[in-house]
Amino acid sequence: MGLTRQYLRYGPAALFGLLGSARGSAAFVPLRGERARCVAVPACEHVLVWDTRKGEKVLILKGLKQEVSYLCPSPDGLHLAVGYEDGSIRIFSLLSGEATITFNGHKAAVTALRYDHLGGRLVSGSKDTDVIVWDVINESGLYRLKGHKDAVTQVLFLKEKNLLVTSGKDTLVKWWDLDTQHCFKTLVGHRTEVWGMALISEEKRLITGSADSELRVWDITYIQEVKDPDEPESKKNKGSSPAAEENTEEDETLELDESPEERLVKCSKAGSIMREGRDRVVSLATDRTGKILACHGTDAVLEVFSVLSEEEIQKKLEKKMKKAKKKNKQNLEEEPERSVELSLQEEIQRVTNIRASSKIKSFDLVLSPKGELKIVLLLQNNTIETYNLNLSAQVPQAVRASRITMGGHRSDVRTLAFSSDNIAILSAAAESVKIWNRSTLQCIRTMDCEYALCSLFVPGDRQVIVGTKTGKLQLYELASGSLTETLDAHDGAVWSIALSPDQRGFVTGGADKCVKFWEFELVKDESSVQKRLSVKHVRVLQLDEDVLCVRYSPNQKLLAVSLLDCTVKIFYIDTLKFFLSLYGHKLPVLCMDISYDGALIATGSADRNVKIWGLDFGDCHRSLFAHDDSVMYLQFVAKSHLFFTAGKDSKIKQWDADKFEHIQTLEGHHREVWCLALSPNGDYVVSASHDKSLRLWERTREPLILEEEREMQREAEYEESVAKEEQPVVAGETQGETGLAGKKTIETIKAAEQIMEAIELYREEMAKLMEHKAICKAAGKEVPFPVNPILRAYGNITPSAYVLEVFKKVKSSELEEALLVLPFSYVPDLLRLFNEYIQLGSEVELLCRALLFLLKIHFGQITSNHMLVSVIENLKQTTISRVSDARDVLGFNMAGLQFLKREIEAKDEVMFFADATDRFEEKKRKRKKKEKMILAVH
């Protein structure tokens, strides 16, 4: 095999132009010492933390490949749980910005995440209809709850009871008892999907939002709290033994409702509150205190409600009673008490509506102790807005506190261009043109424009020209950031613009079936002394079809024009005579480019193919199936026959036009890629997508070998197929409401393989040791024993210690799944080793967890194996003694901590009182001074 041609790899350099993706959720995070200053928003696969006051990025939590679908900050504000489109969950530390824990359990996008009030457990809901409860401290999954028939929309922990409430698109709200891990109640009062849910009034009320304008309110009654109203407490308990008491309570519960589901919670509809929006609820949430409730639909209005507390309700009731008593003074017989009660609308009052500048995608609220409500809105048009709402005002009005818009476009970027010095990047969308500095990724200029479709930098990089959907050419001066001229170029959209190789002019093609030639000229305005750049129309080429793309050949002899009739026509530039027709695409050619030497023309079409043609005879060299959807943009790399294509399948691909090889795929965008631009030196590629992001790709010095690339692709495909395989089944287990939290991934398989390799090494080493002992005995002296290089690398440890090291390296969240795929032949050795380790008292907690799981899944085989009876007996004794030792240590430590806490509290109280007396003395002194001054004045 001869030398293969080497290519240089392009790699991702940056993501910019995106403030927040509309798919995920926004959340306040307490950075910089304030709870309502920094906000975390999803940005494709990353999470950006913005300082809303300064409008700058504080932190980037870097993701892998998948798009972020949900965010949830932990109660202590130190961590952020991030759910992704592929069902994985990563927990980031907000102090370091690193991902500390990864959970893999869901097969589809994570749609809901919630911590419990202590932050020890995390519950996740997904599009795969499962709900999984995770142990954050132990970094492992606890269990999977199955019951919903469609995507889960919201999950809520109850603070007081160990209960969970989940809602789904299957119109159901389910109540789960986490002690027994089963669904004990299902609310079926909704006709349509339940899109949002929130708990208010100290978890005594549940509010659900669905596809109509009603917010349904449900009263929650915890059965233990229900007492017989006719019988006083003291009488009931007199002379009854505790056992009898329990019996009566049990009977009472059964009397309340015969069905056993009603034993924990009783849920009845209290009524409904009407929203002003007519469409579905997109999100519904309360602030952390539960005093404020807010929701929004698919429009730009956020509706804010205030929930009255118990005291406020009492005060209102008293006022009502007084009024009722006044009214009923005439009729003394009537008792006013019966008729007085607050309506639901009075208990949950509408505060105000906040109208944002665009459709709201998600929001978060924080109520400050002073009574000011801070709201952050993530909008559909790549904007973040914050509002302040003073609730103590007579008529609360929302005031917009800040708006982050600078770093991105409001709509999709349709055209990109690089300046000739490779430093500036132009991006233009439906509302503005922005100029970016490539090295700092800062937006240097923003200029208003009409709907832009194509653009170029004028030679000299001081002006730019933008072609619009309305057929205008807009000329901008970059130094002043002003629009200097607007020309009506075409009667339809200006689809394409190309600079002439001699740089004296350019050509445009439009939907009015014309190709127009333009030249740059300097004109003098009457008002100013200096001349300014303008353009004049020189020639026109009339055609029979709409023009989609135009390109010059580098020697400026030929002009290629792609038409709506799926052909590309080549004309001589000097005479505008027809030269060639490139016919073969089944759908219109949307993009094309001519190589630097004028030998090749590559065309990309809506039929998903790229064709490479010779420009001398118009012969098709090769047709390549390039993308899974329309090819949107194509451009050659400077001074080479390599070219890039961008497709609606969200991929960017590099090709070799000489060997007709696919070189590499740049994956990163999550939606259609509309356009790309290559820097004149070929070192950078910038691309724009429907996901509102701009991405910069850089040519690295790393060589790319095609065979290796193909191998990596095959490996990636295999890893993907492993995850899609059937999950391993535990023998004798039936499908119920609960299941294992984890799922089989390539990581769990690798972990199982590492355990297997470690056990095999242990077996080999033990056999060698036996042999060595026999040799020593025969020789009658000590013979040197060769140490395994792996064990030497670990510091000359014993084979059994090496197995423990490997075991400790398995991620806590992947342990169960790794043991599940471990063949039974390795289990006996593992059990013997576990016995050895537990006797030594090392890693008792981890080993007991693994041991109990192995016993659960291989119960039948272990109990029927006589060889293991003694091992299990030994394990039973050692584990019980070691676990009780560990419990004693924990108990002792807890007692010590409690003692220290009490000591500190006692000290603090003393300090506090000392502080208070000092303050009192200070006040006294001031008062005396004042009195003296008054006396002196008199």
Side-chain angles (χ1 to χ4, degrees):
M1 181 183 140
L3 262 172
T4 56
R5 181 168 176 188
Q6 277 197 347
Y7 304 98
L8 290 176
R9 186 185 295 282
Y10 280 81
L15 177 144
F16 63 106
L18 183 63
L19 303 173
S21 299
R23 282 185 74 83
S25 56
F28 276 119
V29 287
L31 281 177
R32 303 200 165 178
E34 288 178 54
R35 184 160 278 287
R37 180 171 176 178
C38 294
V39 62
V41 290
C44 289
E45 69 271 30
H46 305 311
V47 176
L48 305 178
V49 179
W50 291 92
D51 183 335
T52 53
R53 202 172 298 166
K54 291 184 179 175
E56 60 183 35
K57 269 182 226 163
V58 183
L59 189 64
I60 300 173
L61 307 177
K62 288 210 157 79
L64 300 169
K65 277 185 181 175
Q66 295 296 330
E67 212 173 349
V68 173
S69 60
Y70 204 86
L71 303 180
C72 178
S74 65
D76 59 6
L78 298 176
H79 295 92
L80 184 73
V82 182
Y84 294 89
E85 281 290 315
D86 64 343
S88 63
I89 299 162
R90 297 171 86 206
I91 297 177
F92 288 87
S93 162
L94 288 171
L95 301 174
S96 64
E98 298 295 317
T100 50
I101 305 168
T102 304
F103 293 137
N104 283 310
H106 293 293
K107 297 181 190 74
V110 176
T111 51
L113 281 172
R114 189 60 60 107
Y115 277 95
D116 67 358
H117 69 290
L118 293 172
R121 287 179 303 173
L122 176 74
V123 62
S124 60
S126 162
K127 275 187 183 170
D128 65 5
T129 77
D130 288 349
V131 174
I132 303 181
V133 181
W134 307 92
D135 183 339
V136 178
I137 295 154
N138 195 24
E139 300 182 13
S140 63
L142 293 173
Y143 38 82
R144 180 188 301 263
L145 303 170
K146 304 171 191 172
H148 283 286
K149 301 283 183 287
D150 205 337
V152 178
T153 54
Q154 185 60 287
V155 286
L156 300 168
F157 274 112
L158 265 75
K159 213 181 208 174
E160 302 304 320
K161 305 276 184 296
N162 195 18
L163 303 179
L164 179 72
V165 196
T166 61
S167 64
K169 280 170 76 173
D170 54 3
T171 77
L172 304 176
V173 173
K174 285 182 169 286
W175 290 77
W176 305 84
D177 181 356
L178 297 183
D179 293 328
T180 55
Q181 294 149 36
H182 84 290
C183 173
F184 66 88
K185 187 171 187 59
T186 303
L187 294 185
V188 287
H190 302 89
R191 301 273 170 85
T192 52
E193 300 97 329
V194 182
W195 289 106
M197 186 172 65
L199 286 162
I200 56 164
S201 307
E202 295 169 355
E203 300 185 347
K204 293 203 174 62
R205 279 216 169 123
L206 180 73
I207 294 192
T208 55
S210 54
D212 50 21
S213 51
E214 254 185 76
L215 293 179
R216 291 167 179 77
V217 183
W218 308 79
D219 277 331
I220 304 167
T221 320
Y222 301 107
I223 300 302
Q224 288 87 333
E225 294 169 15
V226 174
K227 291 157 193 157
D228 195 337
D230 304 330
E231 202 173 338
E233 187 73 38
S234 54
K235 206 184 246 183
K236 204 194 301 178
N237 292 348
K238 260 183 199 169
S240 64
S241 66
E245 219 173 289
E246 276 174 34
N247 288 346
T248 53
E249 203 164 299
E250 215 168 280
D251 297 343
E252 187 185 312
T253 312
L254 285 169
E255 275 165 31
L256 279 164
D257 207 306
E258 286 305 309
S259 60
E261 289 95 52
E262 298 283 340
R263 287 192 182 183
L264 293 163
V265 162
K266 204 172 181 186
C267 207
S268 55
K269 193 173 174 189
S272 54
I273 300 159
M274 300 307 287
R275 293 191 303 122
E276 284 183 7
R278 290 274 163 271
D279 46 6
R280 76 173 180 89
V281 170
V282 173
S283 53
L284 166 77
T286 62
D287 72 310
R288 290 187 67 167
T289 61
K291 287 179 184 172
I292 303 295
L293 173 78
C295 66
H296 69 89
T298 52
D299 52 7
V301 178
L302 182 79
E303 299 181 41
V304 183
F305 299 89
S306 168
V307 182
L308 297 189
S309 65
E310 289 285 329
E311 295 117 52
E312 288 167 323
I313 290 172
Q314 280 304 117
K315 278 180 190 171
K316 275 216 160 187
L317 269 174
E318 280 166 22
K319 273 188 187 174
K320 265 201 158 186
M321 290 274 283
K322 278 179 188 173
K323 276 186 186 174
K325 276 180 182 171
K326 271 185 188 175
K327 271 188 185 178
N328 293 339
K329 263 185 183 175
Q330 297 92 358
N331 327 352
L332 291 169
E333 315 86 63
E334 273 189 38
E335 285 185 25
E337 282 87 344
R338 281 183 188 170
S339 58
V340 174
E341 58 181 36
L342 289 185
S343 67
L344 200 58
Q345 277 67 24
E346 285 173 308
E347 288 183 36
I348 302 167
Q349 298 173 333
R350 180 182 296 277
V351 178
T352 186
N353 285 358
I354 299 172
R355 184 167 286 278
S357 57
S358 175
K359 281 185 181 176
I360 302 170
K361 280 295 170 186
S362 76
F363 71 95
D364 196 14
L365 324 159
V366 166
L367 185 61
S368 66
K370 293 172 188 171
E372 189 181 37
L373 184 68
K374 299 199 171 185
I375 301 164
V376 65
L377 302 176
L378 174 60
L379 307 183
Q380 190 188 25
N381 67 351
N382 198 18
T383 308
I384 299 161
E385 291 184 346
T386 61
Y387 289 85
N388 290 347
L389 186 62
N390 189 4
L391 297 170
S392 54
Q394 200 70 42
V395 182
Q397 283 295 323
V399 181
R400 189 161 76 197
S402 67
R403 188 164 185 245
I404 304 173
T405 57
M406 182 65 181
H409 288 278
R410 307 284 71 77
S411 52
D412 291 5
V413 170
R414 288 285 173 167
T415 174
L416 290 163
F418 253 105
S419 62
S420 58
D421 58 4
N422 310 297
I423 287 172
I425 297 168
L426 173 150
S427 65
E431 82 300 321
S432 64
V433 179
K434 284 182 184 283
I435 308 293
W436 307 81
N437 180 324
R438 192 214 71 233
S439 53
T440 63
L441 302 176
Q442 294 298 314
C443 179
I444 320 165
R445 287 276 180 279
T446 300
M447 301 161 285
D448 290 340
C449 72
E450 289 185 28
Y451 199 120
L453 292 174
C454 54
S455 61
L456 58 80
F457 273 92
V458 174
D461 298 333
R462 291 183 182 179
Q463 292 89 6
V464 293
I465 294 173
V466 173
T468 72
K469 204 174 185 176
T470 51
K472 293 187 175 71
L473 284 177
Q474 295 185 306
L475 182 65
Y476 292 90
E477 180 83 43
L478 289 188
S480 61
S482 58
L483 175 66
T484 55
E485 195 174 350
T486 303
L487 296 161
D488 288 320
H490 291 267
D491 294 336
V494 182
W495 286 116
S496 184
I497 189 167
L499 189 68
S500 65
D502 64 4
Q503 301 197 334
R504 290 182 179 175
F506 60 94
V507 64
T508 59
D512 58 354
K513 305 176 186 178
C514 289
V515 174
K516 293 191 177 181
F517 294 82
W518 308 80
E519 275 182 8
F520 298 116
E521 62 172 356
L522 290 167
V523 295
K524 195 173 180 188
D525 287 334
E526 291 121 36
S527 55
S528 67
V529 182
Q530 283 186 323
K531 287 184 175 181
R532 68 171 177 82
L533 185 90
S534 180
V535 292
K536 69 173 181 193
H537 179 218
V538 189
R539 290 190 294 173
V540 63
L541 170 64
Q542 188 67 45
L543 295 155
D544 301 333
E545 292 284 343
D546 288 16
V547 177
L548 298 177
C549 189
V550 286
R551 286 290 178 268
Y552 275 107
S553 69
N555 58 9
Q556 210 166 330
K557 286 188 175 175
L558 302 170
L559 179 77
V561 182
S562 114
L563 301 172
L564 200 61
D565 64 0
C566 312
T567 62
V568 175
K569 303 265 195 292
I570 316 278
F571 296 91
Y572 290 107
I573 287 174
D574 48 3
T575 60
L576 296 185
K577 289 263 175 70
F578 174 73
F579 171 46
L580 287 171
S581 177
L582 309 180
Y583 177 82
H585 282 291
K586 295 182 182 67
L587 289 168
V589 172
L590 303 175
C591 52
M592 60 182 176
D593 200 15
I594 298 172
S595 63
Y596 74 102
D597 54 3
L600 300 173
I601 178 168
T603 57
S605 159
D607 65 7
R608 307 181 287 181
N609 291 310
V610 166
K611 289 182 190 286
I612 298 161
W613 318 74
L615 248 188
D616 37 11
F617 305 110
D619 55 325
C620 180
H621 291 185
R622 186 66 64 94
S623 182
L624 303 165
F625 181 70
H627 290 270
D628 296 331
D629 209 332
S630 304
V631 182
M632 296 305 294
Y633 208 86
L634 186 151
Q635 192 175 345
F636 273 99
V637 179
K639 307 212 166 28
S640 76
H641 280 181
L642 308 178
F643 64 92
F644 278 93
T645 58
K648 268 191 176 179
D649 60 354
S650 75
K651 291 184 175 70
I652 297 162
K653 295 185 180 182
Q654 190 187 12
W655 307 82
D656 186 341
D658 291 332
K659 297 197 168 181
F660 318 118
E661 289 268 25
H662 168 217
I663 302 165
Q664 80 170 118
T665 303
L666 303 178
E667 286 184 351
H669 285 294
H670 300 285
R671 299 282 174 283
E672 302 92 327
V673 182
W674 296 128
C675 54
L676 58 83
L678 271 113
S679 62
N681 61 8
D683 280 347
Y684 297 96
V685 179
V686 66
S687 55
S689 161
H690 182 45
D691 61 18
K692 301 255 190 326
S693 70
L694 298 172
R695 283 174 192 266
L696 185 67
W697 314 83
E698 190 177 5
R699 182 159 58 188
T700 60
R701 301 273 74 88
E702 181 195 341
L704 183 147
I705 294 146
L706 289 180
E707 283 76 15
E708 282 181 15
E709 194 69 12
R710 302 284 176 274
E711 184 62 38
M712 279 160 64
Q713 215 171 325
R714 281 194 291 274
E715 271 179 28
E717 278 170 18
Y718 165 69
E719 286 183 13
E720 216 170 282
S721 68
V722 162
K724 284 177 185 166
E725 278 174 19
E726 278 299 307
Q727 297 297 313
V729 181
V730 179
E733 266 202 11
T734 51
Q735 280 290 318
E737 276 187 327
T738 55
L740 286 173
K743 71 168 182 182
K744 182 176 164 188
T745 60
I746 196 73
E747 282 82 18
T748 62
I749 291 168
K750 281 177 183 168
E753 282 171 359
Q754 282 165 358
I755 294 168
M756 283 151 66
E757 281 166 15
I759 293 169
E760 274 163 14
L761 184 136
Y762 165 75
R763 284 174 183 168
E764 283 168 22
E765 287 302 305
M766 292 317 280
K768 277 184 194 170
L769 204 63
M770 295 288 280
E771 270 178 44
H772 179 255
K773 276 180 185 170
I775 291 165
C776 290
K777 205 175 182 184
K781 61 175 182 178
E782 195 65 40
V783 180
F785 179 66
V787 181
N788 188 305
I790 295 173
L791 299 179
R792 185 174 288 153
Y794 274 84
N796 282 347
I797 57 171
T798 61
S800 59
Y802 172 67
V803 177
L804 183 62
E805 283 299 314
V806 170
F807 222 85
K808 276 155 60 177
K809 279 185 183 166
V810 177
K811 276 188 188 169
S812 182
S813 56
E814 291 164 6
L815 182 65
E816 273 88 357
E817 288 297 319
L819 292 174
L820 200 53
V821 293
L822 191 73
F824 181 72
S825 56
Y826 293 94
V827 172
D829 288 316
L830 258 185
L831 293 177
R832 289 188 187 98
L833 285 166
F834 282 0
N835 195 15
E836 193 182 310
Y837 303 144
I838 293 170
Q839 272 174 347
L840 295 168
S842 49
E843 300 294 329
V844 176
E845 203 177 322
L846 171 73
L847 295 174
C848 282
R849 185 178 147 204
L851 171 65
L852 293 172
F853 186 73
L854 284 172
L855 290 174
K856 180 183 164 189
I857 59 173
H858 297 300
F859 181 75
Q861 284 165 295
I862 290 170
T863 49
S864 58
N865 191 332
H866 295 297
M867 304 283 284
L868 292 174
V869 173
S870 57
V871 179
I872 294 293
E873 278 299 323
N874 289 342
L875 270 169
K876 186 177 160 188
Q877 288 164 4
T878 48
T879 46
I880 289 169
S881 65
R882 285 295 172 188
V883 169
S884 62
D885 288 352
R887 279 175 64 185
D888 291 346
V889 170
L890 277 175
F892 181 80
N893 291 348
M894 284 292 286
L897 287 169
Q898 292 287 353
F899 172 72
L900 286 171
K901 185 185 168 190
R902 284 196 297 276
E903 288 283 299
I904 291 163
E905 276 177 0
K907 269 187 194 171
D908 276 3
E909 271 176 28
V910 171
M911 297 251 307
F912 178 73
F913 281 122
D915 201 26
T917 47
D918 283 353
R919 228 177 287 152
F920 184 67
E921 291 295 326
E922 187 71 30
K923 270 188 183 173
K924 249 188 184 176
R925 238 176 277 137
K926 278 184 183 171
R927 201 180 297 136
K928 277 183 182 173
K929 256 190 190 175
K930 228 182 194 180
E931 282 170 6
K932 278 180 186 173
M933 280 170 76
I934 291 163
L935 284 169
V937 169
H938 281 296

